[in-house]
C-alpha cells in the first residue's frame, strides 16, 4: 500500500526540495488557522439547539452576555420573532459557558429570531425551512366505498404524519356535480377528534341535518342527496405538525344511495369457513360497508372455553368484509364470532339500535355482544 | 464484593422501576406529564384542573395562586397576536383552547396549543402575559380510560373510550368531565370526587337527545355548567347539535344511566363553545357562547318554568326562550365575577381581543 499525501506518494514528498516543503508547511498552517477560526467563530456565534427535527432552543455564547449573568442566567437577554415588539417567553439557563434560551414552543421553521442583550442586538438566527422530503401524504379516506348512504355520519382521514390541528374545515370540501362547494356540510367541532398520534381525524357530517325531526334537518334537509354524485376534496394547504404542506390534493368521488335506517345484523353475514389443521382465513362478508375503525376493534373469535383465538383481522378495501387469519392452525371444534354491539355501519346505526331511533317503536333489549356460532369439522 | 454491589444496584433499580409503574395515579407528582390542554377550570384553593385529551387524563394542579385579588377588567387588544409573538410564532400556528379565571386571585389563565401539539399555559396579570411552568407545579392526576370493570357488564353503561375532553367543571367536591369518542357520536359524562382517591366513583353515562318526541339519538356534550333549578342541582349541558339539556346531579352515580331532559334547541348549524352562570340582581342567568350564533342569555326562571320532558315535543323552535345578546364571535368566555365576563372575541374588523363585558353589555 502506498500512502498518499495531497495526491502524491509519500516517497515523492520526501524527495521535495526545501522551498517546496516550506510552501507545503505554509499551506498546512493556513488550513489549520482557517479551521480553528471557524471553530472559534462557532463558539462565539448564536446557534440553534435541536431536539430531533425541531429547533427547541437558542444557545448564546457567554462572551456575548457578560455581566449580570453570574447571578441570573438570561438577565438582560431578550429574544424576538423577526423584528417584533413582544419579547418571547421562555426559560434561560447555563449550558457550560453559554446561556441556553428555551422558548415555550419549538421555534418556527423559516423564521428569523433576534437576540438582544441590554436592548442591543447581539445576533440573529434563522430556523431553516423543513425538508420537503418529509411532506405528509393523505394515505386513506374512509369509507372507501364508491356508493354511500345519504345519512352518512362520518369520514376518517388517515395521514402519513402528525398534522396541524384545528385546520380540518379550512382544507376539507365537499363539491357537487357542478364542482360547487357545499356549505355547512361538516360539524365544526373543536377540539377536533384526532387519534393519539394525530395521524387519523374523524369529521362528522352535521348530525343536526341528519337526525330526523331536528330543526336543521327540517329546514336544510339531509346534507347528501340521494342519486347525486359528490367529490370530497382535501387541499394541499393543510400542513403537518412539522410545518410542511400535504404533497398533493386528495380527491374522492362517490355516489349517494338511499337512507340506511337499519342496524347491521351479524346473523345475516356470510361466513366462509376454513379447513381444520390449516392457517386458512375465516372469511366474513358483512352485506354492507361498516365503520373502518370500529370493525377493526369489535370482532373476535372465541373457542369452546371462551378463550380468544389469536390471529389478525384484516378488512377488505371497501369495508364490506374481513378475513380472520389465525396465528395457529385451526382445530376441529365449535367457535363463536363475537361482535361488540357498538360496531356501526356508515350511518351510525349500531347492532343494538339505529342512529335516530323511533321511540314509538318498542326497543329490544340491548346486548354487549352478538354472537355467531360456527363449527369446524375434522 | 463487586458482584454483591452489582446485585444490590440491580435490585434497587428494579424496586424503583416497580414503584414507578405501580404508582397510583393520584399520587402527588408534577404537571410535567400534561401533553395537551383541552379544557381548564378552577376548583378549591387555587387548584387548576386540566383536561388532557392526549393522555385521556385530568390533572389537578396546585397553582399556589391563593392571594385574594380584585376583579379588575382585562383588556388586551389583539390577544392572539400577542400570544403568538410571546411564543415566537405566527397566529396561524396557535389555538387558544380554553381560559379560566381563578376565583380567588381573579387572575386569568389561558390554555394555548401550538399547531405541532405542544400545550402552553399562560397567566394574565395586569394585562401582561406570563408563562406558567407546568413541570414545576405539584399535581395529581386521574386516567379517564381506566373505566371501572362494572361498566362492561351491561351494554348501556359500557365505557366510552375517550379521545377528546370537551369540557370540565367542578361542583360540590366533584370534578365533572365530558369526553368525546372519535369513533362514536356520543359522550360520557364522568363525575370524579376530588381530592382523587384510590377508589374512583366514576359514573359513565350515555346521553340521549330526543326531538319532537319522536326520534331519540345519542349526542356528545360540548360544554356544560352546573346550576340550582327548583332547589335541585343540575348539570346544564349543550350538545354539538345545539339542544340544551338538564341532568340531575344526584343521579350521576357509578353505573347509573341517566336520560337528560331537553329544554331548548338553540339554533341550527351552530356549536356551543362555553357556558357560565351569572347572578344579576335577584335573578340568575345562563350565558352561552356559540360558534355561529351570538352569545345567548337564558333566564333560569324560564328553565324552572319549562316542564317539558324528553319524550314530549319541544314546542316551537326553541323550548325555553332565550335572548340573543349583541355579542357575536365570542371564542372563549369565563366569569370574572357575578357582574363581569371576560371573553376573547373576534371583532368585525377581524381583530381578536381579550376584553371584559359588564352587566350593561350583557
Amino acid at each position: 500500500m502506498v500512502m498518499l499525501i495531497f495526491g502524491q506518494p509519500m516517497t515523492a514528498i520526501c524527495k521535495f526540495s526545501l522551498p517546496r516543503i516550506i510552501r507545503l508547511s505554509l499551506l498546512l498552517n493556513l488550513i489549520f488557522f482557517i479551521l480553528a477560526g471557524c471553530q472559534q467563530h462557532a463558539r462565539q456565534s448564536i446557534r440553534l439547539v435541536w431536539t430531533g427535527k425541531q429547533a427547541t432552543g437558542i444557545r448564546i455564547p457567554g462572551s456575548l452576555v457578560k455581566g449580570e449573568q453570574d447571578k441570573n442566567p438570561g438577565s438582560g437577554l431578550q429574544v424576538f420573532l423577526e423584528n417584533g415588539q413582544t419579547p418571547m417567553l421562555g426559560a434561560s439557563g447555563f449550558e457550560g459557558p453559554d446561556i441556553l434560551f428555551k422558548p415555550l414552543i419549538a421555534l418556527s421553521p423559516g423564521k428569523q429570531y433576534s437576540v438582544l442583550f441590554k436592548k442591543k442586538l447581539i445576533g440573529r438566527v434563522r430556523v431553516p425551512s423543513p425538508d420537503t422530503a418529509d411532506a405528509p401524504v393523505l394515505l386513506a379516506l374512509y369509507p372507501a366505498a364508491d356508493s354511500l348512504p345519504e345519512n352518512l355520519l362520518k369520514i376518517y382521514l388517515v395521514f402519513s404524519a402528525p398534522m396541524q390541528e384545528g385546520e380540518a374545515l379550512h382544507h376539507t370540501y365537499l363539491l357537487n356535480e357542478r364542482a360547487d362547494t357545499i356549505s355547512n356540510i361538516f360539524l365544526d367541532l373543536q377540539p377536533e377528534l384526532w387519534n393519539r398520534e394525530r395521524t387519523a381525524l374523524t369529521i362528522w357530517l352535521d348530525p343536526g341535518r341528519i337526525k330526523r325531526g331536528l330543526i336543521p334537518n327540517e329546514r336544510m334537509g339531509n346534507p347528501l342527496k340521494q342519486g347525486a354524485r359528490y367529490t370530497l376534496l382535501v387541499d394541499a394547504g393543510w400542513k403537518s405538525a412539522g410545518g410542511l404542506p400535504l404533497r398533493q390534493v386528495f380527491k374522492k368521488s362517490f355516489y349517494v344511495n338511499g337512507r340506511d335506517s337499519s342496524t347491521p345484523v351479524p346473523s345475516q353475514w356470510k361466513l366462509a369457513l376454513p379447513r381444520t389443521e390449516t392457517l386458512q382465513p375465516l372469511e366474513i362478508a358483512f352485506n354492507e360497508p361498516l365503520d373502518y375503525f370500529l370493525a377493526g376493534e369489535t370482532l373476535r373469535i372465541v373457542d369452546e372455553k371462551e378463550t380468544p383465538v389469536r390471529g389478525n383481522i384484516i378488512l377488505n378495501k371497501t369495508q364490506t368484509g374481513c378475513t380472520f387469519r389465525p396465528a395457529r392452525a385451526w382445530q376441529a371444534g365449535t367457535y363463536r364470532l363475537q361482535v361488540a354491539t357498538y360496531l356501526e355501519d356508515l350511518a351510525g346505526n349500531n347492532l343494538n339500535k339505529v342512529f335516530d331511533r323511533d321511540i314509538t317503536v318498542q326497543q329490544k333489549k340491548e346486548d354487549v355482544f352478538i354472537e355467531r356460532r360456527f363449527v369446524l369439522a375434522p | 464484593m463487586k458482584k454483591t454491589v452489582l446485585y444490590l444496584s440491580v435490585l434497587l433499580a428494579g424496586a424503583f422501576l416497580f414503584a414507578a409503574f405501580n404508582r397510583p395515579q393520584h399520587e402527588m407528582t408534577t404537571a410535567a406529564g400534561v401533553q395537551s390542554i383541552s379544557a381548564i377550570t378552577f376548583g378549591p384553593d387555587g387548584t387548576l384542573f386540566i383536561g388532557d385529551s392526549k393522555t385521556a387524563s385530568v390533572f389537578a394542579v396546585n397553582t399556589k395562586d391563593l392571594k385574594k385579588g380584585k376583579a379588575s377588567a382585562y383588556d388586551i387588544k389583539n390577544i392572539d397576536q400577542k400570544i403568538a409573538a410571546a411564543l415566537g410564532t405566527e397566529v396561524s400556528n396557535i389555538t387558544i383552547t380554553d381560559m379560566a379565571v381563578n376565583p380567588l386571585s381573579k387572575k386569568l389563565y389561558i390554555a394555548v396549543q401550538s399547531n405541532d401539539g405542544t400545550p402552553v399555559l399562560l397567566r394574565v396579570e395586569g394585562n401582561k402575559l406570563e408563562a406558567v411552568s407546568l413541570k414545576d407545579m405539584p399535581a395529581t392526576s386521574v386516567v379517564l380510560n381506566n373505566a371501572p370493570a362494572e361498566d362492561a357488564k351491561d351494554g348501556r353503561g359500557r365505557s366510552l373510550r375517550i379521545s377528546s375532553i370537551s369540557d370540565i367543571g367542578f361542583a360540590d367536591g366533584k370534578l365533572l368531565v365530558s369526553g368525546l369518542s372519535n369513533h362514536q357520536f356520543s359522550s360520557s359524562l364522568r363525575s370524579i370526587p376530588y381530592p382523587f382517591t384510590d377508589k374512583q366513583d366514576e359514573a359513565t353515562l350515555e346521553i340521549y337527545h330526543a326531538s319532537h318526541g319522536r326520534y331519540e339519538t345519542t349526542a356528545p356534550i360540548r360544554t356544560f355548567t352546573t346550576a340550582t333549578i327548583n332547589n335541585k342541582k343540575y348539570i346544564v349541558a349543550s350538545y354539538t347539535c345545539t339542544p340544551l339539556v338538564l341532568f340531575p346531579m344526584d343521579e350521576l352515580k357509578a353505573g347509573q344511566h341517566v336520560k337528560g331532559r331537553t329544554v331548548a334547541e338553540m339554533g341550527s348549524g351552530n356549536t356551543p363553545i362555553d357556558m357560565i352562570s351569572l347572578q344579576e340582581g335577584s335573578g340568575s342567568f345562563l350565558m352561552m357562547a356559540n360558534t355561529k350564533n351570538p352569545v345567548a342569555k337564558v333566564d333560569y326562571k324560564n328553565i324552572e318554568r319549562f316542564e317539558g320532558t324528553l319524550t314530549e315535543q319541544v314546542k316551537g323552535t326553541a323550548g325555553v326562550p332565550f335572548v340573543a345578546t349583541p355579542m357575536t364571535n365570542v371564542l372563549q368566555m369565563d366569569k370574572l365575577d357575578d357582574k363581569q365576563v371576560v371573553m376573547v372575541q373576534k371583532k368585525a374588523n377581524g381583530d381578536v381581543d381579550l376584553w371584559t363585558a359588564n352587566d350593561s353589555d350583557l
Side-chain angles (χ1 to χ4, degrees), chain A residues 7 26 51 77 83 113 133 159 224 228 253 323 348 367 376:
Chain A
L26 282 174
T51 306
L77 200 66
N83 296 313
Y113 294 85
F159 298 91
L224 302 177
S253 287
T323 55
D367 299 308
L376 298 185

Side-chain angles (χ1 to χ4, degrees), chain A residues 54 89 108 111 113 154 164-165 184 190-191 202 207 211-215 342 353 355-359, chain B residues 86 88-90 113 115-116 158 164 182-183 185 208-209 211 214-218 222 271 292 317:
Chain A
Q54 287 188 316
L89 296 172
S108 295
K111 296 288 173 203
Y113 294 85
K154 57 184 175 273
Q164 293 191 348
E165 295 177 40
N184 300 324
Q190 299 294 342
T202 306
K211 292 176 174 182
R212 291 169 295 175
L214 281 187
I215 297 165
Y342 66 92
K353 56 183 181 249
F355 181 60
D356 50 354
R357 188 178 73 85
D358 188 338
I359 54 179
Chain B
T89 192
E90 293 175 331
Q113 183 163 293
N115 274 359
D116 70 4
R158 183 182 51 76
S164 179
N182 54 350
H183 297 156
F185 193 70
Y208 285 97
H209 167 218
S211 169
R214 178 81 193 270
Y215 302 107
E216 177 190 76
T217 58
T218 55
R222 178 60 191 88
T271 304
K292 287 194 180 156
T317 56

Side-chain angles (χ1 to χ4, degrees), chain A residues 25-274:
Chain A
S25 159
L26 282 174
L27 180 68
L28 285 170
N29 274 327
L30 186 63
I31 290 168
F32 172 78
F33 280 119
I34 288 170
L35 286 174
C38 283
Q39 262 190 336
Q40 183 71 15
H41 179 72
R43 274 202 296 273
Q44 297 217 331
S45 64
I46 293 169
R47 283 170 292 153
L48 293 169
V49 174
W50 294 85
T51 306
K53 290 184 175 178
Q54 287 188 316
T56 52
I58 299 175
R59 185 188 284 265
I60 301 127
S63 57
L64 295 181
V65 288
K66 274 183 183 163
E68 301 145 55
Q69 299 301 316
D70 292 346
K71 296 173 198 162
N72 184 11
S75 174
L77 200 66
Q78 287 180 310
V79 181
F80 293 86
L81 170 66
E82 312 281 0
N83 296 313
Q85 303 293 312
T86 307
M88 285 168 60
L89 296 172
S92 295
F94 291 111
E95 188 97 342
D98 302 337
I99 302 292
L100 179 62
F101 173 78
K102 295 203 87 173
L104 300 184
I105 62 171
L107 300 167
S108 295
K111 296 288 173 203
Q112 182 173 264
Y113 294 85
S114 308
V115 182
L116 279 74
F117 179 58
K118 293 185 175 171
K119 308 212 165 163
K120 280 189 184 160
L121 182 73
I122 55 169
R124 289 196 175 94
V125 65
R126 182 179 286 282
V127 182
S129 295
D131 185 353
T132 51
D134 296 331
V137 176
L138 178 51
L139 297 174
L141 185 150
Y142 299 104
D146 294 330
S147 296
L148 302 174
E150 69 167 6
N151 53 342
L152 173 73
L153 181 61
K154 57 184 175 273
I155 56 171
Y156 297 123
L157 304 178
V158 182
F159 298 91
S160 62
M163 297 297 288
Q164 293 191 348
E165 295 177 40
E167 294 289 306
L169 298 194
H170 299 137
H171 302 289
T172 310
Y173 307 91
L174 190 73
L175 311 176
N176 63 18
E177 282 159 342
R178 297 189 303 278
D180 299 326
T181 303
I182 302 169
S183 56
N184 300 324
I185 198 92
F186 301 116
L187 182 68
D188 184 6
L189 187 64
Q190 299 294 342
E192 292 171 339
L193 292 169
W194 288 91
N195 64 349
R196 201 180 163 119
E197 295 74 31
R198 274 32 186 181
T199 53
L201 173 72
T202 306
I203 300 178
W204 306 99
L205 277 81
D206 186 353
R209 292 182 60 185
I210 296 171
K211 292 176 174 182
R212 291 169 295 175
L214 281 187
I215 297 165
N217 175 266
E218 292 188 345
R219 284 193 186 152
M220 293 186 277
N222 220 51
L224 302 177
K225 308 290 178 209
Q226 185 178 351
R229 181 164 280 282
Y230 296 89
T231 301
L232 205 130
L233 186 145
V234 178
D235 74 30
W238 199 341
K239 289 180 181 171
S240 66
L244 280 166
L246 282 171
R247 220 170 272 176
Q248 59 197 43
V249 173
F250 184 98
K251 282 183 184 178
K252 176 196 164 55
S253 287
F254 60 92
Y255 173 82
V256 174
N257 287 325
R259 191 176 183 88
D260 181 352
S261 298
S262 52
T263 59
V265 185
S267 62
Q268 292 173 2
W269 294 355
K270 289 188 180 68
L271 304 187
L273 302 182

Side-chain angles (χ1 to χ4, degrees), chain B residues 1-12:
Chain B
M1 178 66 188
K2 272 184 183 173
K3 268 191 177 177
T4 315
V5 171
L6 183 71
Y7 289 144
L8 274 173
S9 313
V10 170
L11 200 70
L12 207 62

